Amino acid sequence: IKQTEHCEELYSVVIKAIGICLITKFSSDICLESGNKLVSDVIEFIARIMLVVLAMPYIESIMKTALSFIK
């Protein structure tokens, strides 16, 4: 992969992550203000899962690199 393609992919992931965080914060705050703490907690939990799934290719790459250093 060329460096520019890698940067574009990384920017795309970062923009998606920022969007997830903003939507989560707004939704969670609205639920908290209306007295629905449980729904707010569920929204935040699902957002965390979405961020981990979004970062999974990078986590996998880091793990492969770490394993190659160990061997």
Side-chain angles (χ1 to χ4, degrees):
I1 298 177
K2 292 183 179 179
Q3 186 68 22
T4 56
E5 291 176 9
H6 182 67
C7 287
E8 290 175 4
E9 179 184 343
L10 188 59
Y11 290 144
S12 173
V13 170
V14 169
I15 295 297
K16 289 175 187 177
I18 290 171
I20 290 170
C21 291
L22 289 174
I23 291 170
T24 299
K25 180 66 176 161
F26 293 143
S27 302
S28 177
D29 286 348
I30 289 170
C31 291
L32 278 176
E33 290 175 6
S34 66
N36 292 323
K37 173 123 174 68
L38 179 63
V39 175
S40 173
D41 290 343
V42 169
I43 289 171
E44 290 178 359
F45 178 71
I46 291 172
R48 287 184 184 121
I49 292 171
M50 290 172 62
L51 289 172
V52 168
V53 168
L54 190 63
M56 195 61 69
Y58 300 103
I59 295 170
E60 182 181 356
S61 174
I62 291 169
M63 293 301 290
K64 285 181 180 178
T65 304
L67 288 175
S68 71
F69 283 134
I70 292 172
K71 293 181 180 180

